[in-house]
Amino acid sequence: MKRKLSLCILSALGILCFSCEKESEGFSLLTIMVEENAINEGQEQWVYISEPSGKVLDSRKCKNGEVFELKGPVAIEAIDVTRYIHNSGGSRFSSASSFLGINTGQTLIIGAQDVYQPAEVIGTATITIVNYHESISPGQTIKFSFGTSGPPISSHAVSETRLLATVNLFKNPQELLMTGFKGGQRVYLKVAAMLPDENLVIDFDSFQEYDQIIEIPAEFHEDGRTIGFYDDGRGYLLSDGYDSFLYGNETSLGYIQGYDSYSTKFNEFYGPSFVTYHKFGEPALNVELPSFTLSIVDRTTEGFSFDASFDYTYKSAQWLYSSADGPTNGLSWTVYGDAEANVRIPAVANIVYKKESGLKIEDFSIYELNCTQRLDGLSYAGFVSNTFENKSSAEYEYFIFGSH
């Protein structure tokens, strides 16, 4: 009986000690999932968590395929999270991103690196566009879009009245979209998936005008564009600002019916400041660019401040350092925070600097400030959650107000 009692006491003590040991390990504040092939050769990745005051609570060097937790001595509601990527080979340009004031208990997924693999070409066909009667060469105005990776055209020959194009055909047959301008108006034509060695002759007058045109209330930058997407991921370039500026109405973009969703994006620049509009989902109609002022008042790392004449949801500041060795050897640090946050480089940088050969905070200069105004109701917490989980909302719409 005494022996049994002793064993019970020892067992209880063991459980108690084990319990104390587990509690002494701290409270889980952030889970990290590292996918296979997420970290390249010649690269190191670290994740740090800090108190809002700047005190570092925990950190760890990441390895491909592992899952781990970062902890703190007590349970707290909000932390700062920094992901640091050190490159020792190739460009040797390292990067860091910090997210301030995020809710604890989340999961940060470090995704695998995307590897570009062009679609397999299985043959070619030819398209001849005849009866072309515009003043600008058809080789300049007519564009081809396949909705897949890889160049749609392998070669083309042009004259004043026609265009002969050799079209690449891919393993998974895709419809072909051709766009251009006729009489200063945007026109298009869809062609069903072609067969190898097929020769198609098209009269330019069979191109039809776009289903919807939006007039941008400002002279926008060349990277303005609309893209039509099918639910299977295929995306077709419908219109872009460069073509509009050269060949048509310099303040228009267009839509073509029949796609499941649309991406619309354009910019307007005001000296060092700019505004970007981006929408995904339905076509963007009746867009009005708001008047605004945004200027950086103090550009130093210690006293960074700015003036903004508008309300916004969250912001980010990108800080850059380029070494004397040139632009391929340096560090980029982007800091995200809500509308109330101070997006200066956080205190965890003092640890990172030791890995960057003694780099100091005063070596950085502000490159760009972005203030995001969500029109779709997404909060800063929602933005962080999407970013951490490598996902995007099914539909979104926002303005980014920026300044250099």
Side-chain angles (χ1 to χ4, degrees):
M1 182 68 181
K2 289 183 178 180
R3 185 171 182 273
K4 289 183 179 180
L5 181 61
S6 298
L7 288 173
C8 290
I9 294 173
L10 288 172
S11 298
L13 288 173
I15 292 172
L16 179 61
C17 290
F18 177 76
S19 209
C20 292
E21 182 181 352
K22 293 295 289 183
E23 186 174 345
S24 67
E25 291 180 1
F27 293 83
S28 175
L29 302 178
L30 181 71
T31 300
I32 314 296
M33 295 179 60
V34 187
E35 296 181 354
E36 293 290 350
N37 302 317
I39 303 172
N40 294 331
E41 184 178 354
Q43 186 181 83
E44 293 182 1
Q45 293 201 33
W46 292 75
V47 178
Y48 302 84
I49 59 171
S50 312
E51 292 180 347
S53 64
K55 178 184 177 181
V56 176
L57 299 172
D58 199 2
S59 65
R60 182 161 166 175
K61 182 180 179 180
C62 303
K63 297 180 181 179
N64 284 323
E66 70 173 352
V67 179
F68 61 90
E69 295 178 340
L70 296 181
K71 301 181 178 183
V74 297
I76 55 178
E77 293 184 357
I79 53 174
D80 296 345
V81 176
T82 294
R83 178 183 173 191
Y84 164 66
I85 303 174
H86 174 75
N87 286 308
S88 58
S91 69
R92 297 194 64 189
F93 200 92
S94 302
S95 64
S97 54
S98 295
F99 295 83
L100 308 181
I102 73 162
N103 296 327
T104 55
Q106 298 193 62
T107 297
L108 169 61
I109 300 174
I110 299 179
Q113 302 286 334
D114 291 332
V115 179
Y116 173 72
Q117 294 182 338
E120 180 182 350
V121 177
I122 61 171
T124 60
T126 58
I127 292 179
T128 305
I129 299 176
V130 298
N131 192 30
Y132 183 83
H133 44 71
E134 297 298 303
S135 59
I136 302 174
S137 167
Q140 293 180 293
T141 61
I142 297 177
K143 285 192 172 182
F144 298 79
S145 181
F146 254 124
T148 186
S149 57
I153 302 299
S154 60
S155 65
H156 70 272
V158 299
S159 68
E160 291 183 357
T161 60
R162 76 174 207 160
L163 180 147
L164 172 63
T166 301
V167 181
N168 288 326
L169 303 180
F170 299 95
K171 188 173 182 180
N172 296 319
Q174 311 279 348
E175 70 180 15
L176 174 66
L177 173 67
M178 294 177 288
T179 60
F181 284 87
K182 184 165 58 176
Q185 300 299 314
R186 291 187 178 275
V187 292
Y188 75 94
L189 186 68
K190 287 183 180 181
V191 174
M194 300 181 69
L195 299 174
D197 301 321
E198 182 179 356
N199 184 14
L200 184 63
V201 179
I202 299 172
D203 191 313
F204 183 63
D205 282 338
S206 65
F207 279 61
Q208 59 190 35
E209 292 188 5
Y210 273 51
D211 301 310
Q212 288 180 311
I213 294 291
I214 57 171
E215 299 294 330
I216 309 303
E219 183 178 335
F220 59 91
H221 192 249
E222 293 174 357
D223 66 356
R225 63 186 181 272
T226 56
I227 303 173
F229 287 93
Y230 289 114
D231 286 340
D232 61 8
R234 287 177 294 148
Y236 290 79
L237 178 65
L238 306 182
S239 62
D240 64 52
Y242 182 73
D243 282 351
S244 180
F245 179 77
L246 290 180
Y247 313 125
N249 186 332
E250 66 179 9
T251 59
S252 76
L253 293 172
Y255 298 99
I256 298 169
Q257 292 180 359
Y259 297 96
D260 297 310
S261 55
Y262 298 86
S263 172
T264 306
K265 185 177 182 180
F266 55 85
N267 302 321
E268 175 66 13
F269 288 84
Y270 307 91
S273 299
F274 61 90
V275 56
T276 296
Y277 172 80
H278 197 182
K279 180 179 181 179
F280 185 84
E282 296 293 324
L285 305 177
N286 303 319
V287 180
E288 294 186 7
L289 290 174
S291 300
F292 76 99
T293 56
L294 178 63
S295 60
I296 299 175
V297 177
D298 189 331
R299 307 183 68 89
T300 66
T301 52
E302 292 185 1
F304 175 72
S305 63
F306 63 93
D307 286 334
S309 65
F310 52 90
D311 295 328
Y312 56 92
T313 313
Y314 52 84
K315 58 180 172 284
S316 66
Q318 184 181 11
W319 301 83
L320 291 181
Y321 163 78
S322 294
S323 73
D325 297 334
T328 60
N329 189 9
L331 178 61
S332 168
W333 200 306
T334 304
V335 185
Y336 299 87
D338 63 19
E340 304 301 323
N342 189 328
V343 287
R344 293 185 296 225
I345 296 178
V348 69
N350 294 319
I351 298 175
V352 171
Y353 293 156
K354 295 178 181 179
K355 297 180 174 62
E356 291 290 336
S357 303
L359 185 65
K360 295 182 176 61
I361 191 169
E362 55 266 26
D363 295 328
F364 280 82
S365 59
I366 183 68
Y367 172 71
E368 185 172 290
L369 169 69
N370 288 326
C371 298
T372 301
Q373 183 185 87
R374 301 296 304 214
L375 306 177
D376 52 16
L378 186 72
S379 65
Y380 172 63
F383 161 73
V384 171
S385 177
N386 285 349
T387 304
F388 277 24
E389 297 178 20
N390 297 324
K391 66 181 183 181
S392 178
S393 303
E395 295 185 356
Y396 53 79
E397 185 179 18
Y398 55 82
F399 285 115
I400 294 178
F401 302 90
S403 182
H404 290 282

